[in-house]
Structures are given as structure tokens and as C-alpha cells.
Amino acid sequence: MARSWKCDGEPKNGKTYSEQYLIGKHEPKENHGSSCVICGLPKEGMDNSRHLPKWVKPAAITGGVVLTALVVAFIFIPKPCPTDQQKINGICLALPPKKKVIPSIPTSSITRTPTPLVSAPRLVNLYRTLAEVPNVPKGIIRYGGSTSFAPLRTPAIVALIMQAHPGFELTYTQPPPGTKAGSGSGIKMLIDGQLSFSQSSRPVKDEEFDSAKKRNFTLEQKAVAIDGIAFYVHRDLAIPGLTVSQIKDIYTGRITNWSQVGGPAIEITPLSRDPNDGGTPEYFQEKVLKKEAFAPSVKPYVIDTTTTIRKVAETPGGIGYATASEVCNQSLIEPLPIAKEANQGFVSPCIEKLVNKTDFAKDIYPLTRRLFVVIKGDRTLDEQAGVAYVNLLLSDEGQKLVDQAGLVPIRH
């Protein structure tokens, strides 16, 4: 383990550090890393020995009696400092510019600090490589949430991030027993202190912002990729495509047979995950169904996308939906082209086994959305980890990983 060091929030070398996000004295905190977990002050800021004149250390090493006496006399003879300097350990050092002091955070309540978040300036910085992203913390970083992010949680991608930043150990965390993985459960786990950041396929809700505020921190969402919702049917079902309104009528029970939309006389079996469990079905109910209830024929809800694909593959009249990256590479089902309006052409979510990223990026495909990383603004390691993860994915290399995962980069 690295040698411990203590920080009280006030640099001992007279310098100021831009990475120190909490300015002002706080209770001494023992640290083991390169920066203070309370205020972000680098370790060197607490070490004044590094900033003595370069000739002091060689003089002490040589131990020459005369030279040593001169050095000691020079250092310890009391001398007044100019008005804009302060004497620290006998050395006059320039005073840092005065800044607004933010109340210190007691060690016992780091995760519940009421300090408001002002992290947007740290999120606009774009980097070329993963390794260039600064302020990436070390430790086991727990995250979770949307199943639409599954392509970005592969061991290969996690390994590339860890290769660039050893010690940044991303650990996907399942929700508690009885709770299904999804955007909503991930945000709740973040608010409850079980995650450092979460992933969401839909925007944060007002009630979630309010819930975080009641616990004295904020939530910030940052888009990192573009995704599309793909519909799929049984491989043998002959249907050219559906309009968004036809899909709505199928899932609300107005259309019950494929013959009503130009297909064979087969009863439609619509399948969906519970909209209370995942961001994708929640987005679908809001944007496609216009907040109408699912038809009784949709229930019971399926537990996950894998189960839905298997059931559609076994059901001649089945139809399901999921994030496109989870659909296009499947051989058991047939992706279904869709159109915004009846007078518009159908657009497929897939090109052979690949996601139709071009039409997604140009908003030609009818149902696209943004994928968000949700950051916890609490001035602790959690916030630092969330900001770092966003900057990693928004770097040039990070956006290439987004592309390789079958999602659409948000940066071009």
C-alpha cells in the first residue's frame, strides 16, 4: 500500500491547483492516493520541501561546515516578507489569489455534502485518447442501469479502459433481488448510494432530480451515444413493414391480426418488458404509445430482451422490440422496417447484421434516442468517477468504442 499522507485543504507550498475542487481548510484526512478524496488537492500541495531553492538539498548532502552554516543562517535569520507574501517554514512565498471559500466537508459526511454541483465545465473537455483523460480515480467503481448499454460493458471494452487507467476498476452491479435491471432501477441505486454513476436510455425524471436534491446532491445527465429501437418478428412472417401508428395500435390492442396490416391471417402476439423496469419499454410507452396503457394481450411482461427474442422466434405471429445493437446480429428473428407516416418509405434498423448507423445519425430512422450517463454531484469519488467515465466515452478513442459496440457516436 502507498505511504499515507494527510491533507487539510490548504496547500503548504503557496501554490494553487485547478484540480482542487473544494477550496478551504477542512479536517485533516489521511490519504493513500495522489490526491485528497475530500478536496482533490494533489499530494505535492501538502509538501513544502519540494519547493526550497535547488541548492539547499545539495548543500545539506555535502555537509560542508561553512556552507551549511551559511545556508542555515540565510534561512533562519528573521526577515520580514513583502505584503503580498507569507512566511512558511522560514521562506517567503507568494499568497494565492483570494477565492470564495466553500464550507468544508466533515469526513463523516462526505457522501452527503450539501455543496451544489458545478461540474459542467469539466465535461466539455474533449480528448484524443483514453489515456489523455485526466482525474480518473483509482478504486472499485460500481455502476449499472440500462440494458441498452450492455454492448459498452463487454469485458474487452472494460479492459481497454483499465489498460489506459490502471486502478479504475469498473464493476457492473446488478440491482437488488426482486428488481429488474434497467434505467429506472439504476438511477434509484445511484440515489440510494449503491452506485458511483448509472447508465440510462431515457432522460432523468423530475421526481428523480427531486429525490436526489432531498439527499443534498444533484444529478446530471450527459449523452454519450445515439441508439435506435428496433422491432422484430418471426423469420417466416411476410410483412413489408409497419408505420409508427400501426405499431401503437398493435400494442394498445386496436390491431390484433397481421392481415389488418398487409400480412397473413395470423394472430399478433405482441411482447414487451415491463415499462416500470426498463428505460427502453418506458421510452416506447411514452413516445410510441403516447402514454396509453399496453393491451392485455401484451401481458405477462417478459423478463428481458433475450427471452423476448426467443419467444418471437418460437411464435409465428410474435413481435418484439429492443435496442438495435441487441437485435441486428440475431439470426433467430427478422428485423422489421418501419416508417414515421403512411406516405413515407420504410427504413430498416439494420443493414444485414449491422446497425443502420447512417440513418440513425441523420434522424431518418423514426425511433432514435440518446443514451445518457447519470452523474452524482456530491463532491466525492462518485462524482469524479462519473465525470471521468463520461470524458472517456466522449474522447476520440471512446467514441470509436461506442461505434464498435453497435451504437452511434454522438461526436463526428
Side-chain angles (χ1 to χ4, degrees), residues 274-338:
D274 190 334
N276 292 319
D277 294 331
T280 299
E282 188 174 8
Y283 173 90
F284 173 72
Q285 185 177 38
E286 181 177 344
K287 299 298 182 181
V288 178
L289 303 190
K290 306 301 181 183
K291 298 185 179 181
E292 286 190 36
F294 281 95
S297 58
V298 181
K299 300 176 181 178
Y301 294 118
V302 290
I303 189 171
D304 54 30
T305 299
T306 301
T307 304
T308 309
I309 291 175
R310 178 177 55 79
K311 287 191 174 183
V312 170
E314 298 170 350
T315 308
I319 180 174
Y321 63 92
T323 183
S325 59
E326 296 177 313
V327 173
C328 294
N329 61 353
Q330 298 291 328
S331 58
L332 297 176
I333 42 86
E334 183 68 24
L336 185 67
I338 63 175

Side-chain angles (χ1 to χ4, degrees), residues 74-86:
F74 176 81
I75 294 176
F76 291 100
I77 292 177
K79 297 179 181 179
C81 291
T83 56
D84 59 345
Q85 295 186 12
Q86 177 181 348

Side-chain angles (χ1 to χ4, degrees), residues 149 222-226 371-373 390 393-394 399 402 408-410:
F149 272 83
K222 189 67 177 179
V224 296
I226 297 172
L371 301 182
F372 301 93
V373 173
V390 167
L393 290 186
L394 289 180
Q399 288 291 281
V402 168
V408 182
I410 204 164

